[in-house]
Amino acid sequence: MSDQEEKGRTLKISVLRFNPQVKGDMPRMQTYELTEAPGMTLFIALNDIRENIDPTLQFDFVCRAGICGSCAMVINGKPSLACRTLTSTFPDGEIKLLPLPGFELIGDLSINSGKFMQEMNERVESWIHDKNMNNVDLTRIEERMDPDVADEIYELERCVECGCCVAACGTKQMRPNFLGAVGLVRLARYALDPRDKRTDEEFYEIVGNDDGVFGCMTLLGCEDYCPKDLPLQTQIAYLRRKMAFVK
Amino acid sequence: MKVIYTDSLVIGGGMAGLRVAIASMERGYDTIVLSLVPAKRSHSAAAQGGMQASLAASVKGEGDNEDVHFEDTVKGSDWGCDQQVARMFVNTSPKAIRQLATWGVPWSRVRKGDRQVVINNKRVTITEKNECHGLITARDFGGTKKWRTCYTSDGTGHTMLYAMGNRAVELGIQVHERKEAIALIHDDGVCHGAIVRDLITGELIAYVSKATTIATGGYGRIYSVSTNAVISEGIGTAIALETGIACLGNMEAVQFHPTAIVPVGILMTEGCRGDGGLLRDKDGHRFMPDYEPDKKELASRDVVSRRMTEHMRKGKGVHSRYGDHLWLDITMLGREHIEKNLREVREICEYFLGIDPVKDYMPVRPTQHYSMGGIRTKPTGESPTLKGLFSAGEAACWDMHGFNRLGGNSVAETTVAGMIVGEYVADYCGQNSPSISTKLVEKFLKREQKKISDLLERDTGENPYEIRNEMQKIMMDKVGIFRNGPDLEKAVEELKVLNQRAKNIVVRNKISSSNPELVDAIRVGKMIKLAQCVAYGAMLRTESRGAHSREDFPERNDKEWLKKTLTYWRSEDDDLPEVEYEPLDISKMEMPPGSRGYGVDNTIPNPETEKRMAEIEEIKKAHPDADRFEIQQLLNPIDLPEKFKGKNERIGRGFK
């Protein structure tokens, strides 16, 4: 292996800096230069910057394995999970990072996606609705479920609430109250689940309007940028068809 | 002074914390959860593999029950666990999983008829029974006699955490996100809540409560390479230690998982080996059967990790710029199986390694993974020394894992302990109305405020990241998989020095609000105390048990070391914890110490063991008509909350 390869090239990482907690702070781009290491991800690079160059830089990572959905940001124009983005995938070594739009900004690359997702969960009532749920005798054998149905529910349950679909959504830019793919797919997940006793009419009350499934302009940025490759397009279409027949 | 009052304060928004919160909320007590991050982003989400519960619906689980699960768990712990707690756990786990099924977890189900599985590198057809179709299925995991690990594809932790998180939303439980508890409020041996820092505004808030539960997970990040999330820094455990009154149990019991990828340390689930995956060396040779002819790749984690290290020390590792590693090979499982049941594994390989596990081997080596030690509690989850302080999940030493945890028993513990401890927390809230003076709250608030202003005002001193990195390196190099006296002594001495240096930390970023450097500066001193409890406890424990493996004391010494290490940090001026030992009483064991059936058996026996064996035989003889439940109550009587006392039904067997 050559010396040059060992030393690594110089990366230029530009970050939108802004701390709303500091009075008078103004948004600006700041560029950091650092030496690339083999196998370097943006998780490693940003921590390197914080520890060795600029301790004020704000960002969020938790699992750093693409599982928890904390670190979504706009990476060279595309919403994506930073932790599993290898710096080697950028041929010119220049990387521009912006916070995910559509969410309250905490500072720099850190956004309050938790607050947004909490509201989404409350809005679609993201839980099993069954009056008898609390009376189930836990000592008894569980209710059966078709293995295929369980697998299908899991397919939709894989959403990690990262917010990439919301950031990539054209409708959301125009309609601040639009539920977004994350909410629609969550609803579809419960509509599919035989344990949830809600009727189509009840689902209609939640998403049967322009802020719900009828607002979607099918631009499908959500489908393009979902890091978990959820079938968002199919599910939104399915839900729309289902809802169109309710009233 | 900002004060928030509640009945049940839960610190930590992972599965254990949420489950305790749900329990106290359902019983009608005002409940607040504090979380560093949105609750659904907690490290619980990363558990891929599954949850152990003896449902026995899959054909490979036939004959399973609480007793078999108990045996596996005790053997796994290398007889270091509390058998009473292990019993409470195994008896409740089937109920926990069935409850989660009603809350929406899409557990993978039994499909009737033939299916192909890989066992011992051979394709085998197994036939699931018609009458089991649609029940919750299970896969094989290390150290278990039966296929007992229930799962949802390979996103078990994710689906469990989401079901729990959604249930909390449904119940209207307030989760205060981006809040960090930095000290406990306590007086006269009673805990009254916590001093909490808002990570966005920097404001300090006093949360005053009747019961306080710490469920902040493990302390894996005291090591430089860990599978744990970056927030698993043990701060909840540390603030309990810093009271000087609560004690920690078995901190030296640290698990290394056999298969994390090199170099980043991300976990490849035990499901890889459970489903048939193999470990290979630099020659492509499958080496585990050479060491463990019976359990092979599926011995317990401590054993597999040691065998891998042993094999690499023989020069059989694959050299890389990041040090030696071995291969994890799941190619024989085929694309369909991998893309369905091991999809996260495939994704991680694709994004972090640029390889396809359908065709390629994965570079792996043993990596810090789980903290068996933690806040010592009674079977109710309450600290034996600090009233009103509870703990559950990985943060606690409850203690069902002893010196080694089985795969699939951690997410199981979070829910089961959450259920059980949650009931005792609610009981406590109902039975206690402590009077708390404003003066007391103010004293703690001012003390913490002063520490932070001192930090921000200091002009010269130590860099928090350098200190943290040095601590992590000490732990990695000297308190790892194989340990020895001289290295441990060095680690203890070096940590003493670091503990002093940490008192003189300076931050470059001087703002008191959202400030990541300040957060790390506050944490590092606490982490060093935990590291010292681990290192010092390991130095003193002159035997090998479970994950604690001493090269200079290779025997499991039941004669002298059948006891739990308890550590206290009595004063801020100390550099070492005070150590006590809590004996494990053989005369009360349902299963007296014996051979695990894997690993090296070189136990120094305890004379009490034979006595207890004879006693057990006599009890059994004296009750010839007793069924297994009655025998268990005679040998190992346990108390559970009333609602969890019932027997568990299984297909084809009823309640027997």
Side-chain angles (χ1 to χ4, degrees):
Chain A
M1 162 186 331
S2 72
D3 280 358
Q4 203 185 350
E5 207 185 327
E6 185 66 44
K7 195 172 170 281
R9 58 181 180 161
T10 300
L11 295 172
K12 283 187 185 172
I13 300 185
S14 312
V15 181
L16 182 82
R17 301 299 312 276
F18 177 48
N19 187 346
Q21 297 290 322
V22 175
K23 264 198 189 130
D25 197 32
M26 294 291 282
R28 64 200 183 279
M29 292 304 292
Q30 186 168 349
T31 303
Y32 302 97
E33 291 192 3
L34 74 159
T35 307
E36 187 173 40
M40 189 181 241
T41 58
L42 282 178
F43 162 73
I44 296 167
L46 288 170
N47 275 292
D48 193 334
I49 294 171
R50 184 190 278 171
E51 287 183 27
N52 299 308
I53 306 174
D54 185 348
T56 68
L57 186 62
Q58 296 187 56
F59 49 79
D60 292 319
F61 290 98
V62 178
C63 76
R64 62 80 176 88
I67 290 164
C68 74
S70 300
C71 65
M73 54 183 77
V74 179
I75 304 168
N76 281 1
K78 296 170 183 170
S80 191
L81 298 181
C83 72
R84 65 180 202 186
T85 302
L86 291 164
T87 55
S88 60
T89 51
F90 303 95
D92 58 2
E94 292 190 14
I95 306 168
K96 194 160 121 187
L97 303 176
L98 309 174
L100 213 57
F103 299 90
E104 183 182 294
L105 183 72
I106 291 173
D108 303 334
L109 300 169
S110 172
I111 53 161
N112 204 339
S113 58
K115 190 174 162 187
F116 178 97
M117 295 304 167
Q118 171 82 15
E119 285 164 11
M120 179 279 290
N121 281 305
E122 287 171 4
R123 190 162 152 195
V124 305
E125 301 189 10
S126 173
W127 54 86
I128 298 283
H129 288 57
D130 180 0
K131 284 194 200 85
N132 293 320
M133 189 169 84
N134 291 330
N135 305 325
V136 172
D137 181 352
L138 299 178
T139 66
R140 306 211 70 111
I141 290 173
E142 66 277 7
E143 190 97 2
R144 287 168 202 268
M145 181 182 272
D146 185 280
D148 291 329
V149 173
D151 290 348
E152 282 165 35
I153 296 169
Y154 177 66
E155 281 305 302
L156 306 186
E157 175 112 349
R158 294 178 68 247
C159 169
V160 295
E161 299 189 353
C162 65
C164 284
C165 62
V166 176
C169 176
T171 309
K172 178 75 187 165
Q173 303 298 320
M174 293 161 51
R175 281 182 188 280
N177 276 331
F178 182 58
L179 184 57
V182 60
L184 294 171
V185 79
R186 182 62 50 81
L187 195 104
R189 175 243 175 275
Y190 284 98
L192 185 67
D193 194 326
R195 293 168 293 192
D196 193 318
K197 307 300 179 206
R198 277 180 283 185
T199 62
D200 283 354
E201 284 76 17
E202 285 170 293
F203 286 124
Y204 186 90
E205 288 304 315
I206 299 170
V207 289
N209 55 39
D210 285 354
D211 282 335
V213 76
F214 299 125
C216 171
M217 299 188 297
T218 50
L219 298 172
L220 297 173
C222 56
E223 171 103 4
D224 294 344
Y225 294 106
C226 175
K228 292 287 153 185
D229 296 321
L230 293 176
L232 301 173
Q233 179 179 1
T234 327
Q235 287 305 315
I236 292 171
Y238 165 78
L239 206 57
R240 180 139 55 181
R241 223 168 35 240
K242 197 173 163 90
M243 291 298 110
F245 285 107
V246 174
K247 283 188 182 168
Chain B
M1 178 164 86
K2 185 166 173 182
V3 185
I4 292 174
Y5 291 91
T6 186
D7 293 324
S8 169
L9 176 67
V10 180
I11 304 170
M15 288 201 289
L18 287 173
R19 189 61 190 81
V20 168
I22 289 167
S24 56
M25 191 74 174
E26 284 182 332
R27 291 267 302 270
Y29 296 102
D30 189 64
T31 302
I32 294 175
V33 177
L34 302 175
S35 182
L36 293 175
V37 297
K40 284 178 184 164
R41 309 219 189 285
S42 304
H43 187 47
S44 307
Q48 300 164 2
M51 161 164 176
Q52 282 202 45
S54 56
L55 299 181
S58 163
V59 69
K60 298 292 282 182
E62 267 183 20
D64 200 9
N65 61 29
E66 298 85 356
D67 298 356
V68 188
H69 190 184
F70 176 78
E71 246 178 62
D72 287 343
T73 302
V74 174
K75 282 183 184 169
S77 82
D78 220 354
W79 276 271
C81 73
D82 268 351
Q83 296 199 4
Q84 193 189 352
V85 168
R87 249 305 161 190
M88 293 166 74
F89 163 73
V90 296
N91 287 11
T92 312
S93 194
K95 297 177 186 76
I97 213 160
R98 285 169 173 162
Q99 183 170 61
L100 284 167
T102 70
W103 291 357
V105 173
W107 296 111
S108 294
R109 302 287 172 147
V110 177
R111 188 187 304 274
K112 64 184 172 192
D114 290 353
R115 69 182 168 115
Q116 292 242 304
V117 296
V118 176
I119 299 174
N120 195 17
N121 205 19
K122 286 190 191 75
R123 281 204 170 269
V124 182
T125 302
I126 60 174
T127 311
E128 297 286 5
K129 288 184 176 159
N130 285 352
E131 63 264 33
C132 298
H133 186 76
L135 297 177
I136 296 170
T137 190
R139 58 165 46 137
D140 199 9
F141 253 40
T144 65
K145 246 190 207 142
K146 303 282 176 184
W147 290 23
R148 184 188 302 126
T149 305
C150 307
Y151 62 98
T152 35
S153 180
D154 68 353
T156 315
H158 170 86
T159 59
M160 290 172 71
L161 181 63
Y162 268 54
M164 213 96 83
N166 289 330
R167 176 80 179 145
V169 177
E170 179 188 0
L171 292 172
I173 293 171
Q174 298 179 61
V175 180
H176 293 191
E177 293 173 8
R178 295 184 189 261
K179 299 277 191 294
E180 177 159 23
I182 55 172
L184 292 176
I185 304 166
H186 62 98
D187 181 34
D188 207 14
V190 185
C191 180
H192 296 299
I195 302 297
V196 174
R197 185 166 176 272
D198 184 314
L199 295 177
I200 299 176
T201 65
E203 184 184 23
L204 290 194
I205 308 162
Y207 282 74
V208 173
S209 57
K210 287 181 178 174
T212 305
T213 305
I214 294 180
T216 48
Y219 43 88
R221 287 279 160 178
I222 63 172
Y223 286 83
S224 47
V225 186
S226 166
T227 65
N228 289 186
V230 299
I231 55 170
S232 299
E233 296 186 306
I235 303 306
T237 313
I239 63 172
L241 181 69
E242 284 182 332
T243 61
I245 297 165
C247 60
L248 308 184
N250 285 346
M251 290 294 283
E252 66 271 32
V254 175
Q255 180 174 79
F256 287 75
H257 193 289
T259 60
I261 57 170
V262 178
V264 286
I266 296 172
L267 178 74
M268 289 294 139
T269 171
E270 188 154 321
C272 290
R273 283 171 292 133
D275 289 1
L278 306 175
L279 292 166
R280 297 187 186 278
D281 64 15
K282 66 172 185 183
D283 306 318
H285 172 63
R286 180 190 179 195
F287 59 91
M288 276 308 292
D290 306 343
Y291 296 98
E292 297 292 332
D294 186 24
K295 296 294 280 184
K296 305 178 185 74
E297 281 82 0
L298 287 171
S300 63
R301 288 177 178 173
D302 57 328
V303 170
V304 178
S305 287
R306 275 198 293 276
R307 297 304 197 186
M308 290 169 74
T309 309
E310 225 178 307
H311 201 61
M312 286 192 281
R313 283 178 174 182
K314 289 180 186 162
K316 294 293 184 183
V318 184
H319 302 302
S320 84
R321 70 169 95 195
Y322 301 106
D324 286 1
H325 65 76
L326 293 157
W327 298 116
L328 173 61
D329 168 17
I330 59 170
T331 57
M332 76 295 290
L333 301 182
R335 181 172 299 280
E336 194 190 342
H337 181 91
I338 291 171
E339 289 187 350
K340 183 170 164 242
N341 287 317
L342 297 168
R343 180 159 46 185
E344 295 289 345
V345 168
R346 213 187 74 91
E347 262 186 32
I348 290 166
C349 281
E350 181 188 335
Y351 285 100
F352 292 89
L353 298 169
I355 62 168
D356 180 0
V358 175
K359 304 189 304 250
D360 307 315
Y361 296 170
M362 297 172 259
V364 295
R365 70 171 161 232
T367 301
Q368 193 289 334
H369 180 60
Y370 189 81
S371 314
M372 274 78 72
I375 300 168
R376 180 69 183 130
T377 71
K378 301 186 273 191
T380 56
E382 191 180 13
S383 161
T385 44
L386 185 57
K387 214 171 161 248
L389 177 71
F390 292 78
S391 183
E394 193 176 349
C397 178
W398 186 32
D399 163 33
M400 53 170 276
H401 304 306
F403 276 75
N404 176 64
R405 169 177 75 74
L406 293 183
N409 261 356
S410 69
V411 284
E413 180 188 19
T414 63
T415 23
V416 174
M419 286 166 89
I420 294 172
V421 173
E423 292 303 321
Y424 291 119
V425 164
D427 289 349
Y428 186 89
C429 289
Q431 289 155 6
N432 292 276
S433 305
S435 61
I436 303 149
S437 79
T438 316
K439 219 176 182 174
L440 176 78
V441 176
E442 203 170 16
K443 183 184 98 182
F444 278 90
L445 201 63
K446 280 193 172 151
R447 188 189 77 186
E448 293 307 309
Q449 194 67 67
K450 180 164 184 313
K451 281 189 204 163
I452 292 173
S453 10
D454 286 354
L455 245 176
L456 288 168
E457 281 160 18
R458 195 172 295 133
D459 290 326
T460 55
E462 301 278 353
N463 177 321
Y465 296 112
E466 278 172 21
I467 299 247
R468 189 189 66 193
N469 294 344
E470 280 182 44
M471 168 196 67
Q472 290 173 331
K473 193 168 161 23
I474 294 169
M475 297 306 287
M476 209 66 196
D477 294 347
K478 304 191 175 86
V479 199
I481 297 181
F482 283 105
R483 302 167 175 180
N484 63 70
D487 276 351
L488 290 168
E489 279 163 32
K490 263 187 237 155
V492 168
E493 288 309 312
E494 289 169 11
L495 287 167
K496 278 187 194 171
V497 175
L498 269 192
N499 189 45
Q500 287 302 321
R501 286 173 58 196
K503 294 180 201 288
N504 193 32
I505 281 176
V506 64
V507 290
R508 291 161 286 174
N509 185 12
K510 298 293 186 190
I511 63 170
S512 65
S513 62
S514 187
N515 177 348
E517 190 189 22
L518 180 60
V519 170
D520 289 321
I522 293 171
R523 287 177 187 170
V524 71
K526 300 182 191 303
M527 293 170 76
I528 289 170
K529 289 188 181 116
L530 297 182
Q532 188 64 288
C533 289
V534 176
Y536 193 51
M539 185 190 95
L540 296 178
R541 184 174 283 273
T542 48
E543 67 152 356
S544 292
R545 184 179 299 276
H548 171 70
S549 184
R550 287 280 300 251
E551 289 163 307
D552 41 356
F553 296 95
E555 305 85 11
R556 187 182 90 198
N557 187 343
D558 287 349
K559 208 167 155 192
E560 286 163 273
W561 282 103
L562 211 51
K563 51 191 178 187
K564 244 181 255 305
T565 309
L566 301 182
T567 41
Y568 295 86
W569 207 278
R570 296 292 188 192
S571 151
E572 261 307 297
D573 301 327
D574 291 345
D575 285 322
L576 277 181
E578 188 181 302
V579 176
E580 281 176 9
Y581 291 98
E582 178 189 335
L584 286 160
D585 188 352
I586 295 177
S587 74
K588 289 188 177 143
M589 285 187 186
E590 181 177 347
M591 195 162 93
S595 160
R596 300 172 95 185
Y598 44 78
V600 181
D601 184 14
N602 54 4
T603 305
I604 301 172
N606 188 310
E608 290 293 313
T609 300
E610 271 187 42
K611 229 163 91 187
R612 177 63 178 162
M613 295 285 223
E615 200 174 74
I616 290 174
E617 280 318 303
E618 266 173 46
I619 292 172
K620 283 183 177 167
K621 248 190 240 158
H623 300 85
D625 302 326
D627 64 14
R628 66 183 183 95
F629 305 100
E630 288 158 346
I631 291 287
Q632 180 236 300
Q633 270 302 337
L634 287 166
L635 297 180
N636 187 12
I638 55 165
D639 196 22
L640 278 171
E642 199 54 45
K643 56 174 98 166
F644 305 135
K645 277 186 177 161
K647 294 173 186 172
N648 301 303
E649 188 185 16
R650 289 179 184 80
I651 188 78
R653 292 218 310 262
F655 289 92
K656 290 215 174 88

